[in-house]
Short mmCIF file of all heavy atoms in Angstrom, two decimals:
data_model
loop_
_atom_site.label_atom_id
_atom_site.label_comp_id
_atom_site.label_asym_id
_atom_site.label_seq_id
_atom_site.Cartn_x
_atom_site.Cartn_y
_atom_site.Cartn_z
N MET A 1 -5.95 -18.95 -59.01
CA MET A 1 -6.06 -17.95 -57.96
C MET A 1 -4.94 -18.15 -56.95
O MET A 1 -4.56 -19.27 -56.63
CB MET A 1 -7.41 -18.08 -57.29
CG MET A 1 -7.63 -17.06 -56.23
SD MET A 1 -9.37 -16.98 -55.83
CE MET A 1 -9.26 -16.13 -54.32
N TYR A 2 -4.42 -17.06 -56.43
CA TYR A 2 -3.33 -17.12 -55.48
C TYR A 2 -3.84 -17.35 -54.06
O TYR A 2 -4.89 -16.86 -53.67
CB TYR A 2 -2.53 -15.82 -55.50
CG TYR A 2 -1.80 -15.56 -56.77
CD1 TYR A 2 -2.29 -14.67 -57.70
CD2 TYR A 2 -0.62 -16.23 -57.04
CE1 TYR A 2 -1.62 -14.42 -58.87
CE2 TYR A 2 0.05 -15.99 -58.22
CZ TYR A 2 -0.44 -15.08 -59.14
OH TYR A 2 0.23 -14.86 -60.29
N ALA A 3 -3.06 -18.08 -53.29
CA ALA A 3 -3.35 -18.21 -51.87
C ALA A 3 -2.82 -16.96 -51.18
O ALA A 3 -1.86 -16.36 -51.63
CB ALA A 3 -2.67 -19.46 -51.31
N ARG A 4 -3.46 -16.56 -50.12
CA ARG A 4 -3.07 -15.32 -49.46
C ARG A 4 -2.66 -15.59 -48.02
O ARG A 4 -3.20 -16.44 -47.34
CB ARG A 4 -4.22 -14.33 -49.49
CG ARG A 4 -4.46 -13.79 -50.87
CD ARG A 4 -5.71 -12.96 -50.92
NE ARG A 4 -5.88 -12.30 -52.20
CZ ARG A 4 -6.28 -12.87 -53.31
NH1 ARG A 4 -6.54 -14.15 -53.32
NH2 ARG A 4 -6.42 -12.18 -54.41
N ASP A 5 -1.69 -14.82 -47.54
CA ASP A 5 -1.28 -14.85 -46.14
C ASP A 5 -2.14 -13.82 -45.41
O ASP A 5 -1.79 -12.64 -45.32
CB ASP A 5 0.20 -14.52 -46.04
CG ASP A 5 0.74 -14.71 -44.64
OD1 ASP A 5 -0.04 -15.12 -43.75
OD2 ASP A 5 1.94 -14.46 -44.43
N TRP A 6 -3.28 -14.26 -44.90
CA TRP A 6 -4.27 -13.34 -44.36
C TRP A 6 -3.79 -12.59 -43.14
O TRP A 6 -4.20 -11.45 -42.90
CB TRP A 6 -5.57 -14.08 -44.06
CG TRP A 6 -6.28 -14.47 -45.32
CD1 TRP A 6 -6.44 -15.73 -45.81
CD2 TRP A 6 -6.90 -13.59 -46.27
NE1 TRP A 6 -7.12 -15.69 -47.00
CE2 TRP A 6 -7.42 -14.39 -47.31
CE3 TRP A 6 -7.06 -12.22 -46.34
CZ2 TRP A 6 -8.09 -13.85 -48.40
CZ3 TRP A 6 -7.73 -11.68 -47.43
CH2 TRP A 6 -8.23 -12.49 -48.44
N ARG A 7 -2.94 -13.19 -42.33
CA ARG A 7 -2.44 -12.48 -41.14
C ARG A 7 -1.66 -11.24 -41.55
O ARG A 7 -1.83 -10.17 -40.97
CB ARG A 7 -1.55 -13.41 -40.31
CG ARG A 7 -2.33 -14.30 -39.43
CD ARG A 7 -1.55 -15.09 -38.43
NE ARG A 7 -0.11 -15.00 -38.45
CZ ARG A 7 0.68 -15.74 -37.72
NH1 ARG A 7 0.16 -16.64 -36.94
NH2 ARG A 7 1.97 -15.61 -37.78
N ASP A 8 -0.78 -11.36 -42.53
CA ASP A 8 -0.01 -10.21 -42.97
C ASP A 8 -0.86 -9.22 -43.75
O ASP A 8 -0.62 -8.01 -43.69
CB ASP A 8 1.18 -10.66 -43.82
CG ASP A 8 2.32 -11.20 -42.98
OD1 ASP A 8 2.25 -11.06 -41.74
OD2 ASP A 8 3.28 -11.75 -43.55
N VAL A 9 -1.85 -9.70 -44.49
CA VAL A 9 -2.73 -8.78 -45.21
C VAL A 9 -3.51 -7.93 -44.22
O VAL A 9 -3.61 -6.70 -44.36
CB VAL A 9 -3.69 -9.55 -46.15
CG1 VAL A 9 -4.75 -8.64 -46.71
CG2 VAL A 9 -2.92 -10.22 -47.27
N ILE A 10 -4.06 -8.56 -43.19
CA ILE A 10 -4.82 -7.83 -42.18
C ILE A 10 -3.93 -6.89 -41.39
O ILE A 10 -4.26 -5.72 -41.17
CB ILE A 10 -5.56 -8.81 -41.25
CG1 ILE A 10 -6.64 -9.57 -42.04
CG2 ILE A 10 -6.17 -8.11 -40.05
CD1 ILE A 10 -7.24 -10.74 -41.30
N ALA A 11 -2.75 -7.37 -40.98
CA ALA A 11 -1.84 -6.53 -40.21
C ALA A 11 -1.35 -5.34 -41.02
O ALA A 11 -1.31 -4.21 -40.53
CB ALA A 11 -0.65 -7.36 -39.73
N GLY A 12 -0.99 -5.57 -42.26
CA GLY A 12 -0.55 -4.47 -43.12
C GLY A 12 -1.66 -3.48 -43.39
O GLY A 12 -1.44 -2.27 -43.42
N GLY A 13 -2.88 -3.98 -43.58
CA GLY A 13 -4.01 -3.10 -43.81
C GLY A 13 -4.32 -2.23 -42.59
O GLY A 13 -4.58 -1.03 -42.72
N LEU A 14 -4.28 -2.83 -41.41
CA LEU A 14 -4.53 -2.05 -40.19
C LEU A 14 -3.43 -1.03 -39.94
O LEU A 14 -3.69 0.10 -39.53
CB LEU A 14 -4.67 -2.99 -38.99
CG LEU A 14 -5.94 -3.83 -38.95
CD1 LEU A 14 -5.91 -4.79 -37.76
CD2 LEU A 14 -7.15 -2.94 -38.86
N LEU A 15 -2.18 -1.41 -40.21
CA LEU A 15 -1.07 -0.48 -40.06
C LEU A 15 -1.20 0.68 -41.04
O LEU A 15 -1.00 1.84 -40.68
CB LEU A 15 0.26 -1.20 -40.26
CG LEU A 15 1.53 -0.42 -39.98
CD1 LEU A 15 1.61 -0.06 -38.51
CD2 LEU A 15 2.75 -1.24 -40.37
N GLY A 16 -1.58 0.37 -42.27
CA GLY A 16 -1.77 1.41 -43.27
C GLY A 16 -2.93 2.33 -42.94
O GLY A 16 -2.83 3.55 -43.10
N LEU A 17 -4.04 1.77 -42.46
CA LEU A 17 -5.18 2.59 -42.06
C LEU A 17 -4.85 3.49 -40.87
O LEU A 17 -5.25 4.66 -40.83
CB LEU A 17 -6.38 1.73 -41.73
CG LEU A 17 -7.13 1.13 -42.91
CD1 LEU A 17 -8.24 0.20 -42.42
CD2 LEU A 17 -7.70 2.22 -43.78
N GLY A 18 -4.11 2.96 -39.93
CA GLY A 18 -3.68 3.78 -38.79
C GLY A 18 -2.77 4.92 -39.22
O GLY A 18 -2.92 6.05 -38.76
N GLY A 19 -1.82 4.62 -40.10
CA GLY A 19 -0.93 5.65 -40.60
C GLY A 19 -1.68 6.71 -41.39
O GLY A 19 -1.39 7.91 -41.28
N LEU A 20 -2.65 6.28 -42.19
CA LEU A 20 -3.45 7.23 -42.95
C LEU A 20 -4.25 8.13 -42.03
O LEU A 20 -4.35 9.35 -42.25
CB LEU A 20 -4.38 6.47 -43.91
CG LEU A 20 -5.26 7.32 -44.81
CD1 LEU A 20 -4.40 8.11 -45.78
CD2 LEU A 20 -6.24 6.44 -45.56
N ALA A 21 -4.82 7.56 -40.98
CA ALA A 21 -5.59 8.36 -40.02
C ALA A 21 -4.70 9.37 -39.30
O ALA A 21 -5.09 10.54 -39.11
CB ALA A 21 -6.29 7.45 -39.02
N ILE A 22 -3.52 8.95 -38.90
CA ILE A 22 -2.59 9.85 -38.20
C ILE A 22 -2.16 10.99 -39.12
O ILE A 22 -2.17 12.16 -38.72
CB ILE A 22 -1.37 9.07 -37.69
CG1 ILE A 22 -1.78 8.14 -36.55
CG2 ILE A 22 -0.26 10.01 -37.22
CD1 ILE A 22 -0.72 7.15 -36.15
N ALA A 23 -1.80 10.66 -40.35
CA ALA A 23 -1.36 11.69 -41.29
C ALA A 23 -2.49 12.65 -41.62
O ALA A 23 -2.29 13.87 -41.67
CB ALA A 23 -0.82 11.04 -42.55
N ALA A 24 -3.69 12.13 -41.83
CA ALA A 24 -4.83 13.00 -42.16
C ALA A 24 -5.16 13.92 -41.00
O ALA A 24 -5.43 15.11 -41.20
CB ALA A 24 -6.04 12.14 -42.54
N TYR A 25 -5.13 13.42 -39.78
CA TYR A 25 -5.41 14.25 -38.62
C TYR A 25 -4.36 15.34 -38.47
O TYR A 25 -4.67 16.49 -38.18
CB TYR A 25 -5.48 13.40 -37.36
CG TYR A 25 -5.87 14.19 -36.13
CD1 TYR A 25 -7.20 14.44 -35.86
CD2 TYR A 25 -4.91 14.69 -35.27
CE1 TYR A 25 -7.58 15.18 -34.74
CE2 TYR A 25 -5.27 15.43 -34.17
CZ TYR A 25 -6.60 15.68 -33.90
OH TYR A 25 -6.96 16.41 -32.80
N ALA A 26 -3.09 14.98 -38.64
CA ALA A 26 -2.01 15.94 -38.48
C ALA A 26 -2.09 17.05 -39.53
O ALA A 26 -1.89 18.22 -39.23
CB ALA A 26 -0.65 15.24 -38.56
N VAL A 27 -2.42 16.68 -40.77
CA VAL A 27 -2.48 17.67 -41.84
C VAL A 27 -3.66 18.61 -41.66
O VAL A 27 -3.56 19.82 -41.93
CB VAL A 27 -2.53 16.96 -43.22
CG1 VAL A 27 -2.87 17.92 -44.33
CG2 VAL A 27 -1.19 16.29 -43.50
N THR A 28 -4.78 18.10 -41.17
CA THR A 28 -5.97 18.93 -41.06
C THR A 28 -6.02 19.75 -39.77
O THR A 28 -6.72 20.76 -39.72
CB THR A 28 -7.25 18.08 -41.16
OG1 THR A 28 -7.23 17.09 -40.14
CG2 THR A 28 -7.36 17.43 -42.53
N HIS A 29 -5.32 19.36 -38.72
CA HIS A 29 -5.44 20.05 -37.44
C HIS A 29 -4.20 20.85 -37.03
O HIS A 29 -4.29 21.67 -36.12
CB HIS A 29 -5.78 19.04 -36.33
CG HIS A 29 -7.17 18.55 -36.41
ND1 HIS A 29 -7.54 17.51 -37.23
CD2 HIS A 29 -8.31 18.94 -35.80
CE1 HIS A 29 -8.83 17.28 -37.10
NE2 HIS A 29 -9.32 18.14 -36.23
N TYR A 30 -3.07 20.58 -37.62
CA TYR A 30 -1.83 21.26 -37.22
C TYR A 30 -1.21 21.96 -38.41
O TYR A 30 -1.42 21.60 -39.56
CB TYR A 30 -0.81 20.26 -36.65
CG TYR A 30 -1.29 19.50 -35.45
CD1 TYR A 30 -1.32 18.12 -35.45
CD2 TYR A 30 -1.69 20.16 -34.30
CE1 TYR A 30 -1.74 17.41 -34.34
CE2 TYR A 30 -2.12 19.46 -33.18
CZ TYR A 30 -2.15 18.09 -33.21
OH TYR A 30 -2.57 17.40 -32.12
N SER A 31 -0.39 22.96 -38.10
CA SER A 31 0.36 23.65 -39.13
C SER A 31 1.62 22.84 -39.46
O SER A 31 2.40 22.50 -38.57
CB SER A 31 0.75 25.04 -38.62
OG SER A 31 1.64 25.65 -39.52
N LEU A 32 1.82 22.55 -40.75
CA LEU A 32 3.00 21.79 -41.15
C LEU A 32 4.24 22.65 -41.22
O LEU A 32 5.34 22.18 -40.94
CB LEU A 32 2.77 21.12 -42.51
CG LEU A 32 1.74 20.00 -42.54
CD1 LEU A 32 1.61 19.46 -43.95
CD2 LEU A 32 2.09 18.91 -41.59
N GLY A 33 4.10 23.91 -41.61
CA GLY A 33 5.25 24.77 -41.77
C GLY A 33 6.01 24.42 -43.04
O GLY A 33 5.46 23.86 -43.99
N THR A 34 7.29 24.74 -43.07
CA THR A 34 8.16 24.40 -44.20
C THR A 34 9.26 23.49 -43.70
O THR A 34 9.38 23.23 -42.50
CB THR A 34 8.77 25.67 -44.82
OG1 THR A 34 9.62 26.29 -43.85
CG2 THR A 34 7.70 26.65 -45.27
N LEU A 35 10.11 23.03 -44.61
CA LEU A 35 11.20 22.17 -44.18
C LEU A 35 12.24 22.93 -43.36
O LEU A 35 12.91 22.35 -42.51
CB LEU A 35 11.86 21.51 -45.39
CG LEU A 35 11.03 20.41 -46.05
CD1 LEU A 35 11.75 19.87 -47.28
CD2 LEU A 35 10.76 19.28 -45.08
N GLN A 36 12.39 24.22 -43.60
CA GLN A 36 13.34 25.01 -42.81
C GLN A 36 12.75 25.45 -41.48
O GLN A 36 13.48 25.61 -40.50
CB GLN A 36 13.79 26.23 -43.61
CG GLN A 36 14.67 25.87 -44.78
CD GLN A 36 15.20 27.10 -45.49
OE1 GLN A 36 14.84 28.21 -45.16
NE2 GLN A 36 16.06 26.87 -46.46
N HIS A 37 11.46 25.67 -41.44
CA HIS A 37 10.77 26.06 -40.21
C HIS A 37 9.59 25.13 -40.00
O HIS A 37 8.45 25.45 -40.30
CB HIS A 37 10.28 27.51 -40.31
CG HIS A 37 11.37 28.50 -40.55
ND1 HIS A 37 12.27 28.85 -39.57
CD2 HIS A 37 11.74 29.17 -41.66
CE1 HIS A 37 13.12 29.72 -40.06
NE2 HIS A 37 12.83 29.93 -41.34
N MET A 38 9.90 23.96 -39.46
CA MET A 38 8.87 22.93 -39.31
C MET A 38 7.88 23.31 -38.24
O MET A 38 8.24 23.80 -37.17
CB MET A 38 9.52 21.60 -38.95
CG MET A 38 10.36 21.02 -40.04
SD MET A 38 11.01 19.43 -39.56
CE MET A 38 12.12 19.12 -40.88
N GLY A 39 6.61 23.07 -38.55
CA GLY A 39 5.55 23.33 -37.60
C GLY A 39 5.27 22.11 -36.74
O GLY A 39 5.91 21.06 -36.88
N PRO A 40 4.31 22.24 -35.83
CA PRO A 40 4.01 21.13 -34.92
C PRO A 40 3.38 19.91 -35.60
O PRO A 40 3.32 18.84 -35.01
CB PRO A 40 3.04 21.75 -33.91
CG PRO A 40 2.45 22.91 -34.61
CD PRO A 40 3.49 23.41 -35.56
N GLY A 41 2.91 20.04 -36.83
CA GLY A 41 2.28 18.91 -37.50
C GLY A 41 3.20 18.14 -38.41
O GLY A 41 2.81 17.11 -38.97
N MET A 42 4.44 18.58 -38.57
CA MET A 42 5.35 17.92 -39.51
C MET A 42 5.72 16.51 -39.04
O MET A 42 5.68 15.57 -39.83
CB MET A 42 6.62 18.75 -39.69
CG MET A 42 7.57 18.20 -40.73
SD MET A 42 6.95 18.29 -42.41
CE MET A 42 7.19 20.01 -42.77
N PHE A 43 6.07 16.36 -37.76
CA PHE A 43 6.47 15.04 -37.28
C PHE A 43 5.33 14.02 -37.30
O PHE A 43 5.51 12.91 -37.80
CB PHE A 43 7.08 15.13 -35.87
CG PHE A 43 7.55 13.81 -35.35
CD1 PHE A 43 8.70 13.22 -35.84
CD2 PHE A 43 6.82 13.14 -34.39
CE1 PHE A 43 9.12 11.99 -35.37
CE2 PHE A 43 7.23 11.91 -33.92
CZ PHE A 43 8.39 11.33 -34.41
N PRO A 44 4.12 14.35 -36.79
CA PRO A 44 3.04 13.36 -36.87
C PRO A 44 2.63 13.04 -38.30
O PRO A 44 2.28 11.90 -38.61
CB PRO A 44 1.89 13.96 -36.09
CG PRO A 44 2.32 15.28 -35.61
CD PRO A 44 3.72 15.50 -35.99
N ALA A 45 2.68 14.03 -39.19
CA ALA A 45 2.34 13.77 -40.59
C ALA A 45 3.37 12.84 -41.23
O ALA A 45 3.00 11.89 -41.94
CB ALA A 45 2.25 15.07 -41.37
N ALA A 46 4.65 13.08 -40.97
CA ALA A 46 5.69 12.21 -41.52
C ALA A 46 5.60 10.80 -40.93
O ALA A 46 5.78 9.81 -41.64
CB ALA A 46 7.07 12.81 -41.25
N THR A 47 5.31 10.71 -39.64
CA THR A 47 5.16 9.40 -39.00
C THR A 47 3.99 8.63 -39.60
O THR A 47 4.08 7.43 -39.86
CB THR A 47 4.96 9.57 -37.49
OG1 THR A 47 6.06 10.29 -36.95
CG2 THR A 47 4.85 8.22 -36.80
N GLY A 48 2.88 9.33 -39.85
CA GLY A 48 1.72 8.69 -40.47
C GLY A 48 2.02 8.19 -41.87
O GLY A 48 1.61 7.10 -42.26
N VAL A 49 2.77 8.97 -42.64
CA VAL A 49 3.12 8.55 -44.00
C VAL A 49 4.04 7.34 -43.96
O VAL A 49 3.89 6.40 -44.75
CB VAL A 49 3.76 9.72 -44.78
CG1 VAL A 49 4.37 9.25 -46.09
CG2 VAL A 49 2.74 10.81 -45.03
N VAL A 50 5.00 7.32 -43.03
CA VAL A 50 5.90 6.17 -42.91
C VAL A 50 5.12 4.92 -42.53
O VAL A 50 5.34 3.83 -43.08
CB VAL A 50 7.02 6.47 -41.88
CG1 VAL A 50 7.78 5.20 -41.51
CG2 VAL A 50 7.97 7.51 -42.43
N LEU A 51 4.17 5.04 -41.60
CA LEU A 51 3.34 3.89 -41.22
C LEU A 51 2.49 3.41 -42.40
O LEU A 51 2.31 2.20 -42.59
CB LEU A 51 2.45 4.24 -40.04
CG LEU A 51 3.13 4.37 -38.69
CD1 LEU A 51 2.15 4.85 -37.64
CD2 LEU A 51 3.75 3.06 -38.27
N LEU A 52 1.96 4.33 -43.18
CA LEU A 52 1.17 3.97 -44.35
C LEU A 52 2.01 3.20 -45.36
O LEU A 52 1.60 2.15 -45.87
CB LEU A 52 0.59 5.22 -45.00
CG LEU A 52 -0.18 5.03 -46.30
CD1 LEU A 52 -1.41 4.19 -46.07
CD2 LEU A 52 -0.55 6.37 -46.90
N VAL A 53 3.22 3.67 -45.62
CA VAL A 53 4.11 2.99 -46.57
C VAL A 53 4.49 1.60 -46.05
O VAL A 53 4.50 0.62 -46.82
CB VAL A 53 5.36 3.85 -46.86
CG1 VAL A 53 6.41 3.07 -47.62
CG2 VAL A 53 4.96 5.11 -47.62
N LEU A 54 4.80 1.50 -44.76
CA LEU A 54 5.15 0.18 -44.19
C LEU A 54 3.96 -0.78 -44.26
O LEU A 54 4.14 -1.98 -44.51
CB LEU A 54 5.62 0.33 -42.75
CG LEU A 54 7.01 0.93 -42.56
CD1 LEU A 54 7.29 1.13 -41.09
CD2 LEU A 54 8.06 0.05 -43.20
N GLY A 55 2.76 -0.29 -44.05
CA GLY A 55 1.58 -1.13 -44.16
C GLY A 55 1.40 -1.67 -45.56
O GLY A 55 1.07 -2.85 -45.76
N VAL A 56 1.63 -0.82 -46.56
CA VAL A 56 1.53 -1.28 -47.96
C VAL A 56 2.63 -2.28 -48.27
O VAL A 56 2.39 -3.30 -48.93
CB VAL A 56 1.58 -0.06 -48.91
CG1 VAL A 56 1.73 -0.50 -50.35
CG2 VAL A 56 0.34 0.78 -48.74
N VAL A 57 3.84 -2.03 -47.76
CA VAL A 57 4.96 -2.95 -48.01
C VAL A 57 4.70 -4.31 -47.38
O VAL A 57 5.12 -5.34 -47.92
CB VAL A 57 6.28 -2.33 -47.48
CG1 VAL A 57 7.39 -3.34 -47.41
CG2 VAL A 57 6.68 -1.15 -48.33
N ILE A 58 4.00 -4.35 -46.27
CA ILE A 58 3.67 -5.63 -45.63
C ILE A 58 2.51 -6.32 -46.35
O ILE A 58 2.53 -7.54 -46.57
CB ILE A 58 3.34 -5.41 -44.14
CG1 ILE A 58 4.59 -5.01 -43.39
CG2 ILE A 58 2.72 -6.66 -43.53
CD1 ILE A 58 4.33 -4.56 -41.97
N ALA A 59 1.47 -5.57 -46.72
CA ALA A 59 0.23 -6.17 -47.23
C ALA A 59 0.34 -6.65 -48.68
O ALA A 59 -0.20 -7.70 -49.02
CB ALA A 59 -0.92 -5.18 -47.10
N VAL A 60 1.01 -5.89 -49.54
CA VAL A 60 1.02 -6.24 -50.97
C VAL A 60 1.72 -7.58 -51.24
O VAL A 60 1.16 -8.43 -51.93
CB VAL A 60 1.61 -5.09 -51.80
CG1 VAL A 60 1.87 -5.51 -53.22
CG2 VAL A 60 0.67 -3.90 -51.76
N PRO A 61 2.92 -7.84 -50.71
CA PRO A 61 3.52 -9.16 -50.98
C PRO A 61 2.73 -10.31 -50.36
O PRO A 61 2.76 -11.43 -50.87
CB PRO A 61 4.91 -9.08 -50.34
CG PRO A 61 5.19 -7.66 -50.17
CD PRO A 61 3.88 -6.98 -50.01
N ALA A 62 2.01 -10.03 -49.28
CA ALA A 62 1.23 -11.09 -48.62
C ALA A 62 0.06 -11.53 -49.48
O ALA A 62 -0.47 -12.62 -49.28
CB ALA A 62 0.74 -10.61 -47.26
N LEU A 63 -0.35 -10.71 -50.43
CA LEU A 63 -1.43 -11.11 -51.33
C LEU A 63 -1.02 -12.26 -52.25
O LEU A 63 -1.86 -12.99 -52.76
CB LEU A 63 -1.89 -9.91 -52.17
CG LEU A 63 -2.61 -8.81 -51.41
CD1 LEU A 63 -2.83 -7.62 -52.32
CD2 LEU A 63 -3.91 -9.31 -50.85
N PHE A 64 0.28 -12.41 -52.48
CA PHE A 64 0.78 -13.43 -53.40
C PHE A 64 1.55 -14.53 -52.67
O PHE A 64 2.27 -15.29 -53.29
CB PHE A 64 1.69 -12.77 -54.44
CG PHE A 64 1.01 -11.65 -55.17
CD1 PHE A 64 1.31 -10.34 -54.88
CD2 PHE A 64 0.04 -11.93 -56.11
CE1 PHE A 64 0.68 -9.30 -55.53
CE2 PHE A 64 -0.61 -10.91 -56.77
CZ PHE A 64 -0.29 -9.58 -56.49
N ARG A 65 1.40 -14.60 -51.35
CA ARG A 65 2.11 -15.60 -50.55
C ARG A 65 1.09 -16.48 -49.84
O ARG A 65 0.08 -16.00 -49.36
CB ARG A 65 2.99 -14.85 -49.53
CG ARG A 65 3.87 -15.72 -48.73
CD ARG A 65 4.83 -14.93 -47.84
NE ARG A 65 4.14 -13.96 -47.00
CZ ARG A 65 4.45 -12.67 -46.94
NH1 ARG A 65 5.42 -12.18 -47.68
NH2 ARG A 65 3.79 -11.85 -46.14
N ALA A 66 1.37 -17.76 -49.79
CA ALA A 66 0.47 -18.70 -49.13
C ALA A 66 0.59 -18.57 -47.62
O ALA A 66 1.66 -18.30 -47.09
CB ALA A 66 0.79 -20.13 -49.55
N GLY A 67 -0.49 -18.74 -46.94
CA GLY A 67 -0.49 -18.69 -45.49
C GLY A 67 -1.83 -19.16 -44.95
O GLY A 67 -2.76 -19.46 -45.69
N THR A 68 -1.92 -19.22 -43.64
CA THR A 68 -3.15 -19.65 -43.00
C THR A 68 -3.59 -18.59 -42.00
O THR A 68 -2.78 -17.83 -41.47
CB THR A 68 -2.97 -20.98 -42.25
OG1 THR A 68 -1.97 -20.80 -41.25
CG2 THR A 68 -2.57 -22.08 -43.20
N LEU A 69 -4.88 -18.53 -41.73
CA LEU A 69 -5.41 -17.63 -40.73
C LEU A 69 -5.70 -18.46 -39.48
O LEU A 69 -6.55 -19.34 -39.48
CB LEU A 69 -6.70 -16.97 -41.22
CG LEU A 69 -7.36 -16.00 -40.26
CD1 LEU A 69 -6.42 -14.84 -39.95
CD2 LEU A 69 -8.66 -15.48 -40.83
N GLN A 70 -4.95 -18.19 -38.43
CA GLN A 70 -5.12 -18.93 -37.19
C GLN A 70 -6.10 -18.19 -36.30
O GLN A 70 -6.03 -16.97 -36.14
CB GLN A 70 -3.79 -19.07 -36.47
CG GLN A 70 -2.77 -19.84 -37.26
CD GLN A 70 -1.42 -19.85 -36.59
OE1 GLN A 70 -1.18 -19.13 -35.64
NE2 GLN A 70 -0.52 -20.67 -37.10
N LEU A 71 -7.02 -18.92 -35.72
CA LEU A 71 -8.00 -18.32 -34.82
C LEU A 71 -7.37 -18.13 -33.45
O LEU A 71 -6.60 -18.97 -32.98
CB LEU A 71 -9.23 -19.21 -34.72
CG LEU A 71 -9.99 -19.40 -36.02
CD1 LEU A 71 -11.12 -20.39 -35.82
CD2 LEU A 71 -10.52 -18.08 -36.52
N PRO A 72 -7.68 -17.03 -32.77
CA PRO A 72 -7.10 -16.79 -31.45
C PRO A 72 -7.64 -17.76 -30.41
O PRO A 72 -8.77 -18.25 -30.52
CB PRO A 72 -7.50 -15.35 -31.14
CG PRO A 72 -8.71 -15.11 -31.97
CD PRO A 72 -8.55 -15.94 -33.20
N ASP A 73 -6.85 -18.01 -29.39
CA ASP A 73 -7.26 -18.87 -28.29
C ASP A 73 -8.09 -18.03 -27.32
O ASP A 73 -7.56 -17.14 -26.65
CB ASP A 73 -6.04 -19.46 -27.59
CG ASP A 73 -6.41 -20.48 -26.54
OD1 ASP A 73 -7.59 -20.90 -26.51
OD2 ASP A 73 -5.52 -20.86 -25.75
N THR A 74 -9.36 -18.30 -27.25
CA THR A 74 -10.26 -17.47 -26.45
C THR A 74 -10.11 -17.72 -24.95
O THR A 74 -10.44 -16.85 -24.15
CB THR A 74 -11.71 -17.70 -26.86
OG1 THR A 74 -12.01 -19.09 -26.76
CG2 THR A 74 -11.95 -17.23 -28.27
N ARG A 75 -9.59 -18.88 -24.56
CA ARG A 75 -9.42 -19.15 -23.13
C ARG A 75 -8.40 -18.20 -22.52
O ARG A 75 -8.61 -17.69 -21.41
CB ARG A 75 -8.95 -20.59 -22.91
CG ARG A 75 -10.02 -21.60 -23.03
CD ARG A 75 -9.57 -22.98 -22.62
NE ARG A 75 -8.11 -23.11 -22.58
CZ ARG A 75 -7.49 -24.25 -22.38
NH1 ARG A 75 -8.16 -25.34 -22.21
NH2 ARG A 75 -6.19 -24.31 -22.35
N ASN A 76 -7.29 -17.96 -23.22
CA ASN A 76 -6.28 -17.06 -22.68
C ASN A 76 -6.80 -15.62 -22.60
O ASN A 76 -6.57 -14.93 -21.61
CB ASN A 76 -5.02 -17.08 -23.56
CG ASN A 76 -4.32 -18.43 -23.49
OD1 ASN A 76 -4.50 -19.17 -22.56
ND2 ASN A 76 -3.49 -18.70 -24.48
N ALA A 77 -7.50 -15.17 -23.62
CA ALA A 77 -8.07 -13.83 -23.60
C ALA A 77 -9.09 -13.69 -22.47
O ALA A 77 -9.13 -12.67 -21.78
CB ALA A 77 -8.71 -13.51 -24.95
N ALA A 78 -9.93 -14.70 -22.26
CA ALA A 78 -10.91 -14.64 -21.20
C ALA A 78 -10.25 -14.63 -19.82
O ALA A 78 -10.70 -13.92 -18.91
CB ALA A 78 -11.87 -15.84 -21.32
N ALA A 79 -9.16 -15.37 -19.66
CA ALA A 79 -8.46 -15.39 -18.38
C ALA A 79 -7.83 -14.04 -18.08
O ALA A 79 -7.87 -13.55 -16.95
CB ALA A 79 -7.39 -16.48 -18.39
N ILE A 80 -7.26 -13.39 -19.09
CA ILE A 80 -6.64 -12.09 -18.88
C ILE A 80 -7.69 -11.03 -18.58
O ILE A 80 -7.55 -10.25 -17.63
CB ILE A 80 -5.82 -11.70 -20.12
CG1 ILE A 80 -4.60 -12.62 -20.24
CG2 ILE A 80 -5.37 -10.25 -20.05
CD1 ILE A 80 -3.83 -12.49 -21.52
N ILE A 81 -8.78 -11.03 -19.34
CA ILE A 81 -9.85 -10.06 -19.10
C ILE A 81 -10.52 -10.32 -17.76
O ILE A 81 -10.83 -9.38 -17.01
CB ILE A 81 -10.87 -10.09 -20.26
CG1 ILE A 81 -10.21 -9.56 -21.53
CG2 ILE A 81 -12.10 -9.27 -19.92
CD1 ILE A 81 -11.05 -9.74 -22.78
N GLY A 82 -10.70 -11.57 -17.41
CA GLY A 82 -11.32 -11.91 -16.14
C GLY A 82 -10.45 -11.55 -14.94
O GLY A 82 -10.95 -11.22 -13.88
N SER A 83 -9.15 -11.59 -15.10
CA SER A 83 -8.27 -11.27 -13.98
C SER A 83 -8.26 -9.78 -13.66
O SER A 83 -7.97 -9.39 -12.55
CB SER A 83 -6.84 -11.73 -14.29
OG SER A 83 -6.29 -10.96 -15.34
N VAL A 84 -8.60 -8.98 -14.64
CA VAL A 84 -8.63 -7.54 -14.40
C VAL A 84 -9.87 -7.20 -13.58
O VAL A 84 -9.89 -6.44 -12.67
CB VAL A 84 -8.64 -6.75 -15.73
CG1 VAL A 84 -8.82 -5.26 -15.50
CG2 VAL A 84 -7.37 -7.01 -16.48
#
């Protein structure tokens, strides 16, 4: 079994899910138009697809790369949230 770089797998997955959500929202709520007469949904749809592809490019190689999952330091997060 391969060791996995969980930080990159999680980051790539979240980036891909965000891109998928953006592209799906843009396609369903805005008019895309054509390439010669682009509608208001063309840019967000293209941005979502680019984010989805980048997420896959980050996550897939991380499945075959060794790495460790580091736990966040909760003291720093608590200090920042408490200061607000």
